[in-house]
Amino acid sequence: MALSNVLDSPAAGFNFDNAARNAAFEGLFEGGQTPKPLKTGTTIAGVVFKDGVVLGADTRATSSEVVADKMCAKIHYISPNIYCCGAGTAADTEKTTDLLSSNLTVFSLNSGRNPRVVMAVNILQDMLYRYHGQIGANLILGGVDCTGNHLYTVGPYGSVNKVPYLAMGSGDLAALGILEDGFQHDLELEKAKKLVRDAVHSGIMNDLGSGNNIDICVITAEGVDYIRPFQESEFKDRREIKYKYRQGTTPVLTKKITPLKMEVVQETTQKMETV
Amino acid sequence: MAAASMMPIFSQNVSSNSDLVPEWSRQEVSTGTTIMAVEYDGGVVVGADSRTTTGAYIANRVTDKLTRIHDRIYCCRSGSAADTQAIAEVVSYQLGFHSIELDEPPLVETAAHLFRASCYRYREELMAGILVAGWDRRKGGQVYCVPIGGMLVRQPVSVGGSGSSYIYGFMDSNYKPGLSKDQCLDLTTKALTLAMERDGSSGGVVRLATISEDGVERRVILGDQLPKFSTH
């Protein structure tokens, strides 16, 4: 871990610095609901195929029953050869993957090597276990490194599973049905992409929390193909009128300029020491 | 990519009724399980089912609950998946370090004591029931049981996990001291199958491992190859 820490390893045990602040927050809402963390109902899936790993995700982010973002990116960059899909609390998945990505970049720079998928998994597991489920991140990590093609899932409590195909999120039961039926070892690229696309599509069709477009990310030894969107939603709205207004549409009635009076309060000069 | 990757973080979410996220995905992953370990003259046989559940959902149906701690020492994990994985990693590290210091293969008893030390010290925070089994030169094949709470006891045969309740009768009537390796394998397979039939949290395939002086032999028995028992 010495080579790969952006921040120092935190001290052992829980950090309760924010407990007092959180208790004060409860008071502010006068018995009402404190804001709950945003969970994006999601369908994410991953499959190991002959030459690498295919990851897929839908692109809907919801805030209760309103679609907050129709094109949100759930496949996060970790390193040039590792990508991660995130389900669960939106902020947690975003920040956890960012931190992981920074740590692995530092590691690459320090050691001169490409990070291995198992490294990413170990760092994640370490961190999530330390927080005992308080970080609500369900992650699917996929990547290709010198030891082969790997697909792992890490749960919020820090449990790790290594499997050839996976689905996570609220739509995972629907997606898993498709994967269980269609998965075979050593699939060809196009079949693998189609399988993942079908799985995410099933999640979109059968789960209210998933929808809009489908993103696909193909990782092979040659490189990464991040296809965003792989498939656009069949039910897209077409805006009938333009919402852009040309300059001058709103007439200017009056103009008043007030210069801000700034006075010099203090001026100090320090000579730079030169050898 | 930079512009598209901003995840909207809404701080006001007053009426959040997380129906979109099912109940089971918020529960901790548990290995509701059946695990078993038997001693024979010259080694041990360990076995486990392969189901990991999150509430009522099977998170992994091909889990490997037989975790290598050292070349001739394995542990069978039951309880919380995260807790047991973490403990197993810590103990593997400690045992590996100890073995390098001694320049000798470690004793099974040492591994069992390391497990017990962690499980007992953090007994309030952890939920882990572990069977430690292996072979060493001093005492041959040994099985140690470290259940939830952090007890340590050596037994010739031990079962653990939620499915173990259903097979105590079978074990008591079918185990005799002095069984051969193949008889142990057969006993373990039958016991695990019976438990998997009755316990909802156990299932999948049966994973077996035989640990002896010559090394570790691993085997998987798939669902359709399991012995068949019929009550109807």
Side-chain angles (χ1 to χ4, degrees):
Chain A
M1 279 289 262
L3 284 182
S4 76
N5 257 321
V6 176
L7 310 162
D8 285 323
S9 244
F14 288 113
N15 180 351
F16 287 108
D17 288 349
N18 280 335
R21 181 206 71 168
N22 290 346
F25 261 146
E26 306 262 325
L28 285 179
F29 285 92
E30 284 145 352
Q33 287 270 6
T34 42
K36 292 250 171 4
L38 167 70
K39 279 184 183 269
T40 54
T42 282
T43 308
I44 49 179
V47 156
V48 173
F49 72 103
K50 197 171 73 158
D51 306 316
V53 176
V54 179
L55 300 172
D58 72 306
T59 61
R60 172 177 289 183
T62 48
S63 176
S64 294
E65 53 297 329
V66 177
V67 175
D69 188 351
K70 291 183 276 202
M71 198 53 179
C72 99
K74 302 187 187 180
I75 306 183
H76 309 282
Y77 166 86
I78 303 290
S79 78
N81 57 329
I82 305 173
Y83 275 71
C84 175
C85 305
T89 310
D92 288 343
T93 56
E94 184 73 21
K95 279 302 164 198
T96 308
T97 47
D98 267 353
L99 190 57
L100 177 64
S101 175
S102 306
N103 274 338
L104 288 181
T105 312
V106 170
F107 167 80
S108 294
L109 292 168
N110 272 333
S111 66
R113 294 169 196 254
N114 244 354
R116 299 193 191 182
V117 187
V118 70
M119 255 202 89
V121 172
N122 282 335
I123 295 175
L124 271 179
Q125 180 180 38
D126 215 34
M127 180 180 146
L128 291 174
Y129 184 70
R130 209 182 315 132
Y131 284 95
H132 282 284
Q134 302 295 320
I135 297 185
N138 273 303
L139 303 164
I140 295 186
L141 261 150
V144 175
D145 59 33
C146 54
T147 53
N149 317 323
H150 306 286
L151 187 66
Y152 287 88
T153 173
V154 187
Y157 286 88
S159 55
V160 171
N161 282 315
K162 183 181 196 310
V163 267
Y165 60 93
L166 268 184
M168 281 280 184
S170 56
D172 68 347
L173 288 177
L176 218 38
I178 302 290
L179 288 174
E180 289 279 12
D181 191 40
F183 177 80
Q184 280 160 10
H185 284 289
D186 295 330
L187 280 170
E188 294 293 333
L189 172 62
E190 288 309 316
K191 282 218 173 74
K193 272 161 57 174
K194 181 170 190 309
L195 180 64
V196 174
R197 178 252 147 216
D198 286 346
V200 179
H201 182 74
S202 171
I204 289 173
M205 285 292 133
N206 297 298
D207 173 46
L208 294 180
S210 312
N212 297 96
N213 307 331
I214 301 178
D215 287 347
I216 295 271
C217 181
V218 182
I219 312 170
T220 55
E222 278 86 51
V224 173
D225 191 13
Y226 192 142
I227 313 168
R228 177 176 156 80
F230 180 73
Q231 181 189 293
E232 296 209 320
S233 161
E234 288 128 40
F235 307 98
K236 253 175 54 138
D237 247 339
R238 213 168 43 91
R239 295 219 165 94
E240 300 296 331
I241 52 173
K242 284 201 168 38
Y243 290 96
K244 274 193 149 49
Y245 297 90
R246 57 171 177 77
Q247 243 189 8
T249 308
T250 310
V252 178
L253 297 178
T254 48
K255 212 150 87 170
K256 179 175 168 195
I257 303 175
T258 315
L260 290 170
K261 279 205 192 56
M262 309 259 264
E263 29 180 279
V264 178
V265 177
Q266 189 191 41
E267 199 175 308
T268 49
T269 1
Q270 186 176 37
K271 268 185 89 163
M272 182 170 71
E273 284 187 14
T274 49
V275 182
Chain B
M1 177 60 181
S5 71
M6 275 302 294
M7 196 75 93
I9 298 169
F10 288 76
S11 56
Q12 281 289 11
N13 210 352
V14 180
S15 69
S16 102
N17 184 8
S18 307
D19 271 345
L20 295 173
V21 182
E23 174 68 35
W24 51 256
S25 76
R26 286 174 259 151
Q27 284 184 9
E28 189 171 341
V29 176
S30 131
T31 52
T33 272
T34 316
I35 49 177
M36 179 164 159
V38 196
E39 255 175 54
Y40 66 92
D41 181 22
V44 291
V45 167
V46 290
D49 73 305
S50 69
R51 183 173 287 186
T52 316
T53 48
T54 327
Y57 176 63
I58 300 175
N60 188 351
R61 60 182 169 85
V62 285
T63 328
D64 184 8
K65 304 180 191 178
L66 306 174
T67 307
R68 177 194 174 277
I69 304 295
H70 206 266
D71 291 341
R72 301 279 186 282
I73 305 177
Y74 269 63
C75 80
C76 309
R77 301 180 290 113
S78 74
S80 154
D83 287 346
T84 52
Q85 282 177 1
I87 299 173
E89 272 187 37
V90 164
V91 172
S92 302
Y93 163 75
Q94 292 172 331
L95 199 66
F97 193 89
H98 169 75
S99 170
I100 290 174
E101 279 184 322
L102 258 52
D103 197 22
E104 233 181 61
L107 299 175
V108 187
E109 193 171 350
T110 314
H113 274 88
L114 285 171
F115 267 108
R116 189 269 297 272
S118 291
C119 291
Y120 183 72
R121 173 176 290 235
Y122 298 107
R123 55 184 301 166
E124 304 299 330
E125 290 89 13
L126 294 173
M127 189 170 84
I130 299 183
L131 294 179
V132 187
W135 179 93
D136 62 36
R137 243 167 42 123
R138 207 182 280 188
K139 296 191 186 166
Q142 299 145 73
V143 171
Y144 293 87
C145 178
V146 183
I148 295 178
M151 178 186 82
L152 171 63
V153 68
R154 180 182 172 189
Q155 294 176 307
V157 60
S158 194
V159 292
S162 58
S164 65
S165 334
Y166 304 99
I167 50 174
Y168 279 112
F170 177 79
M171 290 304 316
D172 289 338
S173 52
N174 288 67
Y175 172 76
K176 295 171 269 300
L179 292 173
S180 74
K181 177 175 99 164
D182 289 318
Q183 285 172 316
C184 286
L185 280 166
D186 189 53
L187 180 72
T188 310
T189 313
K190 286 206 176 91
L192 290 172
T193 309
L194 287 167
M196 280 155 57
E197 289 283 297
R198 288 292 177 178
D199 179 29
S201 317
S202 306
V205 305
V206 167
R207 292 197 187 271
L208 296 165
T210 314
I211 310 170
S212 64
E213 180 174 8
D214 306 320
V216 178
E217 241 182 79
R218 296 206 60 155
R219 207 172 305 189
V220 178
I221 306 185
L222 301 179
D224 55 350
Q225 297 155 1
L226 292 172
K228 306 224 183 324
F229 301 95
S230 63
T231 45
H232 38 264

